Amino acid sequence: MCGLLIEHDGHRVSSIRGDEDDPLSRGYICPKAVALKDLHEDPDRLRTPQKRVGDRWQDVSWDEALDDIAERIAQIQKRHGTDAMAVYAGNPTVHNTGAMLAGVTLFQTLGTRNRFSATSVDQLPHMLAALEMFGHQLLMPVPDIDHCSHLLILGANPLVSNGSIMSAPGMKRRLRELQRRGGKYVVIDPRRTETAAAADEHLFIRPGSDGLLLAALIHVLYAEKLAKPGRLRAFTDGFDELRSLVEPFTPEAVAAATGIETATIRRIARELAAADRPCVYGRVGVCTQRFGGLNGWLIYALDVLLGCVDQVGGMMFTKPAIDLVALGGLIGQKGHFAKGHSRVSGLPEFGGEYPAITLAEEIETPGENQIRGLISLAGNPVLSVPNGRRLDTALENLDLMVSVDLYRNETSRHAHYILPPTSTLERSHYDLAFHVFAIRNTAKYTPPLFEAPAASKSDFQILMALSDRIVATRDRGLVALGSRLAGRAAVAMGVERTLDLALRAGAYGTGRGGLSLAKLREHPSGIDLGALTPCLPDRLYNEKRRILLTPPRITVDMKRLVAELDRARDNGLLLIGRRQLRNNNSWLHNSLTMVKGRDRCTLLMHPDDAAARGLEHGTRVVIESRTGQVEAPLHVTEHVMPGVVSLPHGFGHDRVGTKLSVASKHAGVSINDVTDERLYDQLTGTAALNGVPVHVHARARRRSPT
Ligand SMILES: Nc1nc2c(c(=O)[nH]1)N[C@H]1C(S)=C(S)[C@@H](COP(=O)(O)OP(=O)(O)OC[C@H]3O[C@@H](n4cnc5c(=O)[nH]c(N)nc54)[C@H](O)[C@@H]3O)O[C@H]1N2
Ligand SMILES: Nc1nc2c(c(=O)[nH]1)N[C@H]1C(S)=C(S)[C@@H](COP(=O)(O)OP(=O)(O)OC[C@H]3O[C@@H](n4cnc5c(=O)[nH]c(N)nc54)[C@H](O)[C@@H]3O)O[C@H]1N2
Ligand SMILES: [Mo]
C-alpha cells in the first residue's frame, strides 16, 4: 500500500523511492518495495505456461495449457464428483485486485466444497470474533494508532510487519509519535521483538497462554469495578455473562502458566482502565496458537469493556471507498461458521473454507470426495502450513495439480501445469482488501507501469479464461452458454470498469466530484478521505444491531481454557516463529537484495537453555519435534524467553526441482517441517504454528568407521 516513485526507462527500473505525497504512507517504504525491481527483472520468474512431463518442464501455449487443464478437471469431477477438485488460495491473492475478482468466479465455477486458504494459518480467529460479535466476518476493528494514548500489543510485531489488520506504513514514526504525545505502548511477546525493544514496557509470555492472561485482565476489570464501556453499553449484550465466564481466572490462577506476575497483571489492567484512549490489539501470535479462537474474541471483549471500540483513539472501523463489508452484506455474504465439517477430521468450515491443516489428509485419505485435483493460486503451502513435508508428499499423488504462480517453487514444482501471471509492475492495482483494515481512509489507483508482453496474461485473465473453458468443457448446453456469456461479459468489463462501478457506488462516489476511477487517475498519489470516525451501532451487521459480548459459539470453548488452569506443565522448549523485515512469507528470497548478508535462518535460544544443554552460540543444532527435524545455526540471546526458541518461517529452499537460483543458495530450513498439523485451535481449526514442543540438541558427530 506504500506510495512508490519508480524511475525507469520503459523497460528497466532505475530507482524505487517512497512517495511523500501518499496520504497513507507519507514517503515511507520497506525493503519489499525495493524488491519489486528484482522481482520484475528476475530471469527465474516464469513468463510462459509450463507443462511438466515427468521431471522435465516444457513451455506450452496458453491455449494448449488451458484446454488440457479444463478437460482434465471435467474428467476428475465427472468421475469422482465435484468435490474431488480443491483450491488453495495463498496470501498474495488478497493483494491482487484481478486475482481477487476472478478467483471468486473460478471457485464458483468449480463448485467444490474443498476450498482452503492461508486464512486458517493466519487471521481466522479475528474474523470469527468479528462475525459473532459484530455480525460480519470482515468487520474487524483497527487500532486508531495515530490517536490512541495507551496501546497494548499482544503477538504482533508491527515494526517489522508494518501492521496487519492495521495497514499502517511507517509504523516506527507512528509509534514514536504516540510516545511523543505522552502516550505509551506495551508489548506482550515471548520474544523481545523490534517492536518490543522500542516499547515503554515489554513482558515475556509463555507461548499459547494469552487466553489466560486476557481472561485475567477482564477478571480484574470486573473485580475492581474498572469496566467503563460508556456509550457502548446501550447496544451491547452480555456484561453479566462475561463476568461469570472469567470468574475462575484470577491473576493468581494464571501467573505461573503465563509467566507474568500477579501484581503485573493487576497493574496492566489498571493502567488500561486509567488511560485516556486505551487500545488492545493482537495479531498473528495470538491467532496461530492453541487458543486462537478464544484470543480473537477476548481481545475485542476487553476493548468493549474499556469502552474503546468505535472510539477515536481506540479500536475503530474503517469506511473505505470500496467497502467489501457493505458489498458482502448486500449479497448476503456476511460469513458463516461450522455450517459443515471436514470429511476426515470433522473440523469446521469458516466462510466456505476448511482449515489448511486438513488439506494433506483430504488428499491422502481414500473414499468418497477424496481430493484428486488441486488449483493452487498464489500460495506456497508446502512452506506455509504445519508439517509441510506431509503435504509435499501428498501433492505428488494428485491426478492434476495446477499452480497459478510466478515461480517454480517448493509447492508449484509438483504441479502438472504452472500458469504464470504478469509481474506486479505490468498490472494495475487498487487495494480492495487492505483499505478495509487501514488506520486511515484513503484511496489510490495505480495503472500498470510497463506494458505487459504480448503473449502474457494477468491473474485476472488466467482465472477468467480457465473458468470459461471449464464451463465450455462440462457441457455444451444452454446453461453453459449463458454462463459463458456472463464470463465473457466479466472479462470485457475487466478490472478497471469493475473498480469504477464499485467506487461510484461507494460511500464517496455520489454527487459532483465524487470518487471514480477517472478521479483517482488524476491523483496518482492517492486521495485522503480522512481519519476513522465512529459508526456504531449503524455499522453492526447482526439482526438486532447489538454487540454480542459473549457469543455462545465462541464461549463454549471456555471450558477448555478453564481446564488449562490445572494442566501440568513440563519445562520443555516451545518453538515460535519470527517475521523479518526482508522476508515476505516464503516468496521474496529469490531477490538478492532480500537475502544478502548473514544467514537469518537461525534458532534463537536463551542463554540459560543453551547452558543447560551445553550448546554454544554459532554451533549447528538439530530441532526435533513429532513431525520431523531440521538443522540451523544457534543464536544465543536474552531476547527470547527462557523455555522458548524461535525460527523464522518461509525458508527451506533446498528442495529439488525448483527454479530459484538465488533462494536455493540461501536456502535455510522450513520451520513448518517441525510444526505439527495435530496442534491446532480446537474451536476454529486454525493451525497452532506457535508453541510447538521441540527438543534441541547438538548435531550428532559423525561416528568414525570401525
Ligand atoms: N510457521 C509459520 N508458518 C506460517 C506463518 C508463521 O508466522 N509461522 N505465517 C502464516 C501466514 S500469516 C501466511 S499469510 C501464510 C502465507 O502462506 P502462502 O500464501 O501459502 O505462502 P506465500 O509464501 O505467501 O506464497 C505466495 C506464493 O504466491 C506467489 N505469488 C506472489 N505474487 C503473486 C501474484 O501476484 N500472483 C500469483 N498468481 N502468484 C503470486 C509466490 O511466488 C508464492 O509462491 O503463511 C503462514 N505460515
Ligand atoms: N516484512 C514482512 N512483513 C510482513 C510479512 C512478512 O513476511 N514480512 N507478512 C505479512 C503477513 S502475511 C502477516 S499475516 C503480517 C503479520 O503481522 P504481525 O502479526 O505483526 O507479525 P509477526 O511478526 O508474525 O508477529 C507475531 C508475533 O507473535 C509472537 N508470538 C508467538 N507466539 C506467541 C504467543 O503465544 N503469544 C504472544 N503474545 N505472542 C506470540 C511472535 O514472537 C511475533 O513477534 O505481517 C505481514 N507483513
Ligand atoms: Mo498472513
Side-chain angles (χ1 to χ4, degrees), residues 88 90-92 96 121-122 378-380 384 404-407 409 421 427 459 579 585-587 649 671-672 689:
Y88 173 88
N91 167 283
N96 184 319
V121 286
D122 190 348
N380 193 2
S384 57
V404 182
D405 209 290
L406 304 162
Y407 286 101
N409 60 23
R427 61 172 161 84
D459 283 279
R579 273 189 163 68
N585 295 324
S586 75
W587 70 278
H649 80 282
I671 185 177
N672 287 323
L689 301 163

PDB file of all heavy atoms in Angstrom, residues 88 90-92 96 121-122 378-380 384 404-407 409 421 427 459 579 585-587 649 671-672 689, ligand 1:
ATOM      1  N   TYR A  88      -6.582 -23.957  -3.269  1.00  0.00           N
ATOM      2  CA  TYR A  88      -5.879 -23.313  -2.150  1.00  0.00           C
ATOM      3  C   TYR A  88      -5.522 -21.907  -2.620  1.00  0.00           C
ATOM      4  O   TYR A  88      -4.855 -21.742  -3.646  1.00  0.00           O
ATOM      5  CB  TYR A  88      -4.600 -24.079  -1.781  1.00  0.00           C
ATOM      6  CG  TYR A  88      -3.764 -23.345  -0.738  1.00  0.00           C
ATOM      7  CD1 TYR A  88      -3.995 -23.539   0.621  1.00  0.00           C
ATOM      8  CD2 TYR A  88      -2.778 -22.437  -1.116  1.00  0.00           C
ATOM      9  CE1 TYR A  88      -3.253 -22.842   1.582  1.00  0.00           C
ATOM     10  CE2 TYR A  88      -2.036 -21.739  -0.167  1.00  0.00           C
ATOM     11  CZ  TYR A  88      -2.278 -21.947   1.182  1.00  0.00           C
ATOM     12  OH  TYR A  88      -1.547 -21.251   2.131  1.00  0.00           O
ATOM     13  N   GLY A  90      -3.501 -18.570  -1.721  1.00  0.00           N
ATOM     14  CA  GLY A  90      -2.452 -18.061  -0.846  1.00  0.00           C
ATOM     15  C   GLY A  90      -2.601 -16.576  -0.578  1.00  0.00           C
ATOM     16  O   GLY A  90      -3.472 -15.901  -1.145  1.00  0.00           O
ATOM     17  N   ASN A  91      -1.726 -16.096   0.266  1.00  0.00           N
ATOM     18  CA  ASN A  91      -1.783 -14.721   0.745  1.00  0.00           C
ATOM     19  C   ASN A  91      -1.772 -13.648  -0.360  1.00  0.00           C
ATOM     20  O   ASN A  91      -2.587 -12.720  -0.311  1.00  0.00           O
ATOM     21  CB  ASN A  91      -0.639 -14.537   1.757  1.00  0.00           C
ATOM     22  CG  ASN A  91      -0.381 -13.110   2.107  1.00  0.00           C
ATOM     23  OD1 ASN A  91       0.224 -12.381   1.338  1.00  0.00           O
ATOM     24  ND2 ASN A  91      -0.850 -12.685   3.248  1.00  0.00           N
ATOM     25  N   PRO A  92      -0.904 -13.736  -1.387  1.00  0.00           N
ATOM     26  CA  PRO A  92      -0.899 -12.654  -2.390  1.00  0.00           C
ATOM     27  C   PRO A  92      -2.212 -12.503  -3.170  1.00  0.00           C
ATOM     28  O   PRO A  92      -2.417 -11.484  -3.832  1.00  0.00           O
ATOM     29  CB  PRO A  92       0.254 -13.026  -3.332  1.00  0.00           C
ATOM     30  CG  PRO A  92       1.158 -13.860  -2.495  1.00  0.00           C
ATOM     31  CD  PRO A  92       0.234 -14.650  -1.608  1.00  0.00           C
ATOM     32  N   ASN A  96      -3.986  -8.706  -4.764  1.00  0.00           N
ATOM     33  CA  ASN A  96      -4.025  -8.665  -6.223  1.00  0.00           C
ATOM     34  C   ASN A  96      -5.484  -8.503  -6.658  1.00  0.00           C
ATOM     35  O   ASN A  96      -6.279  -9.433  -6.544  1.00  0.00           O
ATOM     36  CB  ASN A  96      -3.429  -9.995  -6.734  1.00  0.00           C
ATOM     37  CG  ASN A  96      -3.322 -10.062  -8.234  1.00  0.00           C
ATOM     38  OD1 ASN A  96      -4.223  -9.634  -8.955  1.00  0.00           O
ATOM     39  ND2 ASN A  96      -2.235 -10.625  -8.708  1.00  0.00           N
ATOM     40  N   VAL A 121      -4.197 -20.285   8.582  1.00  0.00           N
ATOM     41  CA  VAL A 121      -2.884 -20.233   9.230  1.00  0.00           C
ATOM     42  C   VAL A 121      -2.591 -18.777   9.595  1.00  0.00           C
ATOM     43  O   VAL A 121      -1.442 -18.377   9.735  1.00  0.00           O
ATOM     44  CB  VAL A 121      -1.742 -20.809   8.336  1.00  0.00           C
ATOM     45  CG1 VAL A 121      -1.823 -22.318   8.272  1.00  0.00           C
ATOM     46  CG2 VAL A 121      -1.769 -20.210   6.930  1.00  0.00           C
ATOM     47  N   ASP A 122      -3.645 -17.994   9.742  1.00  0.00           N
ATOM     48  CA  ASP A 122      -3.462 -16.560   9.944  1.00  0.00           C
ATOM     49  C   ASP A 122      -4.621 -15.971  10.758  1.00  0.00           C
ATOM     50  O   ASP A 122      -4.811 -16.317  11.908  1.00  0.00           O
ATOM     51  CB  ASP A 122      -3.281 -15.895   8.558  1.00  0.00           C
ATOM     52  CG  ASP A 122      -2.847 -14.445   8.611  1.00  0.00           C
ATOM     53  OD1 ASP A 122      -2.892 -13.855   9.699  1.00  0.00           O
ATOM     54  OD2 ASP A 122      -2.472 -13.875   7.565  1.00  0.00           O
ATOM     55  N   ALA A 378      -1.453 -18.470  -6.082  1.00  0.00           N
ATOM     56  CA  ALA A 378      -0.607 -17.570  -5.290  1.00  0.00           C
ATOM     57  C   ALA A 378      -0.381 -18.091  -3.872  1.00  0.00           C
ATOM     58  O   ALA A 378      -0.577 -17.389  -2.891  1.00  0.00           O
ATOM     59  CB  ALA A 378      -1.218 -16.168  -5.244  1.00  0.00           C
ATOM     60  N   GLY A 379      -0.012 -19.347  -3.777  1.00  0.00           N
ATOM     61  CA  GLY A 379       0.246 -19.915  -2.453  1.00  0.00           C
ATOM     62  C   GLY A 379       1.442 -20.838  -2.493  1.00  0.00           C
ATOM     63  O   GLY A 379       1.802 -21.372  -3.541  1.00  0.00           O
ATOM     64  N   ASN A 380       2.043 -21.008  -1.328  1.00  0.00           N
ATOM     65  CA  ASN A 380       3.178 -21.928  -1.222  1.00  0.00           C
ATOM     66  C   ASN A 380       2.997 -22.779   0.035  1.00  0.00           C
ATOM     67  O   ASN A 380       3.825 -22.745   0.957  1.00  0.00           O
ATOM     68  CB  ASN A 380       4.486 -21.131  -1.186  1.00  0.00           C
ATOM     69  CG  ASN A 380       5.703 -22.016  -1.394  1.00  0.00           C
ATOM     70  OD1 ASN A 380       5.586 -23.232  -1.611  1.00  0.00           O
ATOM     71  ND2 ASN A 380       6.878 -21.423  -1.314  1.00  0.00           N
ATOM     72  N   SER A 384       4.231 -23.134   4.052  1.00  0.00           N
ATOM     73  CA  SER A 384       3.472 -22.263   4.956  1.00  0.00           C
ATOM     74  C   SER A 384       2.472 -22.974   5.846  1.00  0.00           C
ATOM     75  O   SER A 384       1.925 -22.357   6.746  1.00  0.00           O
ATOM     76  CB  SER A 384       2.777 -21.153   4.163  1.00  0.00           C
ATOM     77  OG  SER A 384       1.937 -21.679   3.173  1.00  0.00           O
ATOM     78  N   VAL A 404      -1.064 -21.388 -10.181  1.00  0.00           N
ATOM     79  CA  VAL A 404      -1.017 -20.068 -10.811  1.00  0.00           C
ATOM     80  C   VAL A 404       0.003 -19.299 -10.001  1.00  0.00           C
ATOM     81  O   VAL A 404      -0.267 -18.899  -8.864  1.00  0.00           O
ATOM     82  CB  VAL A 404      -2.407 -19.389 -10.790  1.00  0.00           C
ATOM     83  CG1 VAL A 404      -2.339 -18.038 -11.499  1.00  0.00           C
ATOM     84  CG2 VAL A 404      -3.437 -20.300 -11.433  1.00  0.00           C
ATOM     85  N   ASP A 405       1.190 -19.174 -10.528  1.00  0.00           N
ATOM     86  CA  ASP A 405       2.289 -18.647  -9.718  1.00  0.00           C
ATOM     87  C   ASP A 405       3.401 -18.073 -10.595  1.00  0.00           C
ATOM     88  O   ASP A 405       3.579 -18.466 -11.742  1.00  0.00           O
ATOM     89  CB  ASP A 405       2.882 -19.753  -8.835  1.00  0.00           C
ATOM     90  CG  ASP A 405       3.479 -19.199  -7.549  1.00  0.00           C
ATOM     91  OD1 ASP A 405       4.524 -18.514  -7.618  1.00  0.00           O
ATOM     92  OD2 ASP A 405       2.885 -19.430  -6.487  1.00  0.00           O
ATOM     93  N   LEU A 406       4.159 -17.163  -9.978  1.00  0.00           N
ATOM     94  CA  LEU A 406       5.273 -16.524 -10.686  1.00  0.00           C
ATOM     95  C   LEU A 406       6.503 -17.422 -10.745  1.00  0.00           C
ATOM     96  O   LEU A 406       7.394 -17.205 -11.553  1.00  0.00           O
ATOM     97  CB  LEU A 406       5.675 -15.239  -9.947  1.00  0.00           C
ATOM     98  CG  LEU A 406       4.578 -14.200  -9.713  1.00  0.00           C
ATOM     99  CD1 LEU A 406       4.996 -13.231  -8.623  1.00  0.00           C
ATOM    100  CD2 LEU A 406       4.316 -13.450 -11.005  1.00  0.00           C
ATOM    101  N   TYR A 407       6.558 -18.395  -9.836  1.00  0.00           N
ATOM    102  CA  TYR A 407       7.773 -19.192  -9.707  1.00  0.00           C
ATOM    103  C   TYR A 407       7.500 -20.692  -9.690  1.00  0.00           C
ATOM    104  O   TYR A 407       6.416 -21.129  -9.306  1.00  0.00           O
ATOM    105  CB  TYR A 407       8.500 -18.843  -8.393  1.00  0.00           C
ATOM    106  CG  TYR A 407       9.189 -17.503  -8.445  1.00  0.00           C
ATOM    107  CD1 TYR A 407       8.607 -16.380  -7.859  1.00  0.00           C
ATOM    108  CD2 TYR A 407      10.402 -17.366  -9.095  1.00  0.00           C
ATOM    109  CE1 TYR A 407       9.238 -15.140  -7.910  1.00  0.00           C
ATOM    110  CE2 TYR A 407      11.045 -16.135  -9.153  1.00  0.00           C
ATOM    111  CZ  TYR A 407      10.459 -15.022  -8.564  1.00  0.00           C
ATOM    112  OH  TYR A 407      11.095 -13.813  -8.626  1.00  0.00           O
ATOM    113  N   ASN A 409       8.392 -23.148  -7.407  1.00  0.00           N
ATOM    114  CA  ASN A 409       8.957 -23.217  -6.063  1.00  0.00           C
ATOM    115  C   ASN A 409       8.594 -24.527  -5.385  1.00  0.00           C
ATOM    116  O   ASN A 409       8.217 -25.501  -6.060  1.00  0.00           O
ATOM    117  CB  ASN A 409       8.521 -21.989  -5.249  1.00  0.00           C
ATOM    118  CG  ASN A 409       7.011 -21.895  -5.107  1.00  0.00           C
ATOM    119  OD1 ASN A 409       6.299 -22.888  -5.229  1.00  0.00           O
ATOM    120  ND2 ASN A 409       6.529 -20.705  -4.859  1.00  0.00           N
ATOM    121  N   PRO A 421       1.385 -15.476 -14.061  1.00  0.00           N
ATOM    122  CA  PRO A 421       0.764 -14.186 -14.384  1.00  0.00           C
ATOM    123  C   PRO A 421       1.822 -13.130 -14.692  1.00  0.00           C
ATOM    124  O   PRO A 421       3.013 -13.343 -14.440  1.00  0.00           O
ATOM    125  CB  PRO A 421       0.031 -13.839 -13.095  1.00  0.00           C
ATOM    126  CG  PRO A 421       0.891 -14.430 -12.015  1.00  0.00           C
ATOM    127  CD  PRO A 421       1.470 -15.694 -12.607  1.00  0.00           C
ATOM    128  N   ARG A 427       0.705  -4.848 -14.121  1.00  0.00           N
ATOM    129  CA  ARG A 427      -0.743  -4.826 -13.934  1.00  0.00           C
ATOM    130  C   ARG A 427      -1.124  -3.641 -13.049  1.00  0.00           C
ATOM    131  O   ARG A 427      -0.289  -3.078 -12.342  1.00  0.00           O
ATOM    132  CB  ARG A 427      -1.237  -6.135 -13.318  1.00  0.00           C
ATOM    133  CG  ARG A 427      -0.654  -6.415 -11.952  1.00  0.00           C
ATOM    134  CD  ARG A 427      -1.314  -7.619 -11.301  1.00  0.00           C
ATOM    135  NE  ARG A 427      -0.518  -8.176 -10.234  1.00  0.00           N
ATOM    136  CZ  ARG A 427      -0.522  -7.732  -8.982  1.00  0.00           C
ATOM    137  NH1 ARG A 427      -1.250  -6.687  -8.644  1.00  0.00           N
ATOM    138  NH2 ARG A 427       0.227  -8.313  -8.060  1.00  0.00           N
ATOM    139  N   ASP A 459      -3.308 -12.353 -13.716  1.00  0.00           N
ATOM    140  CA  ASP A 459      -4.065 -13.317 -12.909  1.00  0.00           C
ATOM    141  C   ASP A 459      -5.542 -13.281 -13.289  1.00  0.00           C
ATOM    142  O   ASP A 459      -6.185 -14.321 -13.403  1.00  0.00           O
ATOM    143  CB  ASP A 459      -3.928 -12.993 -11.413  1.00  0.00           C
ATOM    144  CG  ASP A 459      -2.587 -13.432 -10.850  1.00  0.00           C
ATOM    145  OD1 ASP A 459      -2.446 -14.611 -10.536  1.00  0.00           O
ATOM    146  OD2 ASP A 459      -1.679 -12.586 -10.751  1.00  0.00           O
ATOM    147  N   ARG A 579       8.973 -13.223  12.021  1.00  0.00           N
ATOM    148  CA  ARG A 579       8.957 -12.495  10.747  1.00  0.00           C
ATOM    149  C   ARG A 579      10.154 -11.574  10.681  1.00  0.00           C
ATOM    150  O   ARG A 579      10.600 -11.061  11.695  1.00  0.00           O
ATOM    151  CB  ARG A 579       7.680 -11.660  10.617  1.00  0.00           C
ATOM    152  CG  ARG A 579       6.556 -12.430  10.048  1.00  0.00           C
ATOM    153  CD  ARG A 579       5.346 -11.599   9.710  1.00  0.00           C
ATOM    154  NE  ARG A 579       4.518 -12.367   8.826  1.00  0.00           N
ATOM    155  CZ  ARG A 579       3.862 -13.465   9.202  1.00  0.00           C
ATOM    156  NH1 ARG A 579       3.940 -13.883  10.441  1.00  0.00           N
ATOM    157  NH2 ARG A 579       3.146 -14.137   8.335  1.00  0.00           N
ATOM    158  N   ASN A 585       6.781 -13.799   3.862  1.00  0.00           N
ATOM    159  CA  ASN A 585       6.462 -15.222   3.928  1.00  0.00           C
ATOM    160  C   ASN A 585       7.532 -15.994   3.164  1.00  0.00           C
ATOM    161  O   ASN A 585       8.702 -15.821   3.425  1.00  0.00           O
ATOM    162  CB  ASN A 585       5.022 -15.474   3.464  1.00  0.00           C
ATOM    163  CG  ASN A 585       4.032 -14.810   4.420  1.00  0.00           C
ATOM    164  OD1 ASN A 585       4.261 -14.776   5.610  1.00  0.00           O
ATOM    165  ND2 ASN A 585       2.950 -14.277   3.902  1.00  0.00           N
ATOM    166  N   SER A 586       7.170 -16.806   2.164  1.00  0.00           N
ATOM    167  CA  SER A 586       8.197 -17.677   1.566  1.00  0.00           C
ATOM    168  C   SER A 586       8.768 -17.160   0.249  1.00  0.00           C
ATOM    169  O   SER A 586       9.621 -17.796  -0.330  1.00  0.00           O
ATOM    170  CB  SER A 586       7.575 -19.050   1.294  1.00  0.00           C
ATOM    171  OG  SER A 586       6.734 -18.971   0.161  1.00  0.00           O
ATOM    172  N   TRP A 587       8.287 -16.014  -0.238  1.00  0.00           N
ATOM    173  CA  TRP A 587       8.484 -15.858  -1.676  1.00  0.00           C
ATOM    174  C   TRP A 587       9.321 -14.680  -2.169  1.00  0.00           C
ATOM    175  O   TRP A 587       9.369 -14.456  -3.357  1.00  0.00           O
ATOM    176  CB  TRP A 587       7.136 -15.885  -2.394  1.00  0.00           C
ATOM    177  CG  TRP A 587       6.274 -14.699  -2.174  1.00  0.00           C
ATOM    178  CD1 TRP A 587       5.460 -14.472  -1.115  1.00  0.00           C
ATOM    179  CD2 TRP A 587       6.132 -13.577  -3.045  1.00  0.00           C
ATOM    180  NE1 TRP A 587       4.823 -13.288  -1.263  1.00  0.00           N
ATOM    181  CE2 TRP A 587       5.206 -12.718  -2.435  1.00  0.00           C
ATOM    182  CE3 TRP A 587       6.692 -13.233  -4.273  1.00  0.00           C
ATOM    183  CZ2 TRP A 587       4.827 -11.511  -3.024  1.00  0.00           C
ATOM    184  CZ3 TRP A 587       6.308 -12.028  -4.862  1.00  0.00           C
ATOM    185  CH2 TRP A 587       5.382 -11.182  -4.232  1.00  0.00           C
ATOM    186  N   HIS A 649       9.921 -18.232   9.510  1.00  0.00           N
ATOM    187  CA  HIS A 649       9.223 -19.118   8.574  1.00  0.00           C
ATOM    188  C   HIS A 649       9.469 -18.658   7.139  1.00  0.00           C
ATOM    189  O   HIS A 649       9.922 -17.540   6.898  1.00  0.00           O
ATOM    190  CB  HIS A 649       7.723 -19.196   8.881  1.00  0.00           C
ATOM    191  CG  HIS A 649       6.915 -18.036   8.369  1.00  0.00           C
ATOM    192  ND1 HIS A 649       6.892 -16.826   8.996  1.00  0.00           N
ATOM    193  CD2 HIS A 649       6.114 -17.911   7.283  1.00  0.00           C
ATOM    194  CE1 HIS A 649       6.108 -16.005   8.323  1.00  0.00           C
ATOM    195  NE2 HIS A 649       5.620 -16.624   7.275  1.00  0.00           N
ATOM    196  N   ILE A 671      10.623 -23.960   9.020  1.00  0.00           N
ATOM    197  CA  ILE A 671      10.087 -24.195  10.367  1.00  0.00           C
ATOM    198  C   ILE A 671       8.882 -25.141  10.289  1.00  0.00           C
ATOM    199  O   ILE A 671       8.639 -25.928  11.200  1.00  0.00           O
ATOM    200  CB  ILE A 671       9.688 -22.861  11.055  1.00  0.00           C
ATOM    201  CG1 ILE A 671       9.258 -23.116  12.514  1.00  0.00           C
ATOM    202  CG2 ILE A 671       8.575 -22.163  10.313  1.00  0.00           C
ATOM    203  CD1 ILE A 671       8.915 -21.861  13.294  1.00  0.00           C
ATOM    204  N   ASN A 672       8.194 -25.088   9.153  1.00  0.00           N
ATOM    205  CA  ASN A 672       6.988 -25.917   9.049  1.00  0.00           C
ATOM    206  C   ASN A 672       7.296 -27.389   8.758  1.00  0.00           C
ATOM    207  O   ASN A 672       6.379 -28.201   8.637  1.00  0.00           O
ATOM    208  CB  ASN A 672       6.010 -25.304   8.053  1.00  0.00           C
ATOM    209  CG  ASN A 672       5.362 -24.060   8.650  1.00  0.00           C
ATOM    210  OD1 ASN A 672       5.073 -24.030   9.848  1.00  0.00           O
ATOM    211  ND2 ASN A 672       5.177 -23.033   7.839  1.00  0.00           N
ATOM    212  N   LEU A 689       0.781 -22.682  15.007  1.00  0.00           N
ATOM    213  CA  LEU A 689       2.147 -22.619  14.479  1.00  0.00           C
ATOM    214  C   LEU A 689       3.129 -22.216  15.566  1.00  0.00           C
ATOM    215  O   LEU A 689       4.331 -22.413  15.440  1.00  0.00           O
ATOM    216  CB  LEU A 689       2.212 -21.606  13.338  1.00  0.00           C
ATOM    217  CG  LEU A 689       1.285 -21.887  12.151  1.00  0.00           C
ATOM    218  CD1 LEU A 689       1.124 -20.647  11.287  1.00  0.00           C
ATOM    219  CD2 LEU A 689       1.833 -23.042  11.338  1.00  0.00           C
TER     220      LEU A 689
HETATM  221  N1  LIG B   1       5.391 -21.381  10.983  1.00  0.00           N
HETATM  222  C1  LIG B   1       4.728 -20.364  10.416  1.00  0.00           C
HETATM  223  N2  LIG B   1       4.041 -20.572   9.280  1.00  0.00           N
HETATM  224  C2  LIG B   1       3.345 -19.552   8.731  1.00  0.00           C
HETATM  225  C3  LIG B   1       3.306 -18.269   9.321  1.00  0.00           C
HETATM  226  C4  LIG B   1       4.046 -18.078  10.518  1.00  0.00           C
HETATM  227  O1  LIG B   1       4.051 -16.978  11.097  1.00  0.00           O
HETATM  228  N3  LIG B   1       4.740 -19.139  11.025  1.00  0.00           N
HETATM  229  N4  LIG B   1       2.559 -17.265   8.736  1.00  0.00           N
HETATM  230  C5  LIG B   1       1.385 -17.694   8.024  1.00  0.00           C
HETATM  231  C6  LIG B   1       0.767 -16.571   7.284  1.00  0.00           C
HETATM  232  S1  LIG B   1       0.306 -15.224   8.205  1.00  0.00           S
HETATM  233  C7  LIG B   1       0.514 -16.606   5.965  1.00  0.00           C
HETATM  234  S2  LIG B   1      -0.361 -15.327   5.250  1.00  0.00           S
HETATM  235  C8  LIG B   1       0.912 -17.772   5.176  1.00  0.00           C
HETATM  236  C9  LIG B   1       1.273 -17.481   3.732  1.00  0.00           C
HETATM  237  O2  LIG B   1       1.140 -18.685   3.066  1.00  0.00           O
HETATM  238  P1  LIG B   1       1.043 -18.782   1.461  1.00  0.00           P
HETATM  239  O3  LIG B   1       0.168 -17.727   0.936  1.00  0.00           O
HETATM  240  O4  LIG B   1       0.725 -20.184   1.143  1.00  0.00           O
HETATM  241  O5  LIG B   1       2.553 -18.564   1.078  1.00  0.00           O
HETATM  242  P2  LIG B   1       3.395 -17.376   0.478  1.00  0.00           P
HETATM  243  O6  LIG B   1       4.765 -17.598   0.942  1.00  0.00           O
HETATM  244  O7  LIG B   1       2.773 -16.075   0.767  1.00  0.00           O
HETATM  245  O8  LIG B   1       3.384 -17.743  -1.061  1.00  0.00           O
HETATM  246  C10 LIG B   1       2.860 -16.904  -2.005  1.00  0.00           C
HETATM  247  C11 LIG B   1       3.011 -17.516  -3.398  1.00  0.00           C
HETATM  248  O9  LIG B   1       2.367 -16.647  -4.318  1.00  0.00           O
HETATM  249  C12 LIG B   1       3.227 -16.353  -5.416  1.00  0.00           C
HETATM  250  N5  LIG B   1       2.846 -15.003  -5.857  1.00  0.00           N
HETATM  251  C13 LIG B   1       3.280 -13.816  -5.411  1.00  0.00           C
HETATM  252  N6  LIG B   1       2.632 -12.808  -6.000  1.00  0.00           N
HETATM  253  C14 LIG B   1       1.746 -13.357  -6.848  1.00  0.00           C
HETATM  254  C15 LIG B   1       0.769 -12.838  -7.764  1.00  0.00           C
HETATM  255  O10 LIG B   1       0.565 -11.635  -7.876  1.00  0.00           O
HETATM  256  N7  LIG B   1       0.022 -13.752  -8.461  1.00  0.00           N
HETATM  257  C16 LIG B   1       0.220 -15.085  -8.336  1.00  0.00           C
HETATM  258  N8  LIG B   1      -0.557 -15.896  -9.045  1.00  0.00           N
HETATM  259  N9  LIG B   1       1.151 -15.592  -7.515  1.00  0.00           N
HETATM  260  C17 LIG B   1       1.888 -14.756  -6.771  1.00  0.00           C
HETATM  261  C18 LIG B   1       4.626 -16.536  -4.877  1.00  0.00           C
HETATM  262  O11 LIG B   1       5.521 -16.873  -5.905  1.00  0.00           O
HETATM  263  C19 LIG B   1       4.440 -17.678  -3.852  1.00  0.00           C
HETATM  264  O12 LIG B   1       4.563 -18.925  -4.449  1.00  0.00           O
HETATM  265  O13 LIG B   1       1.982 -18.447   5.812  1.00  0.00           O
HETATM  266  C20 LIG B   1       1.631 -18.884   7.095  1.00  0.00           C
HETATM  267  N10 LIG B   1       2.619 -19.795   7.589  1.00  0.00           N
END
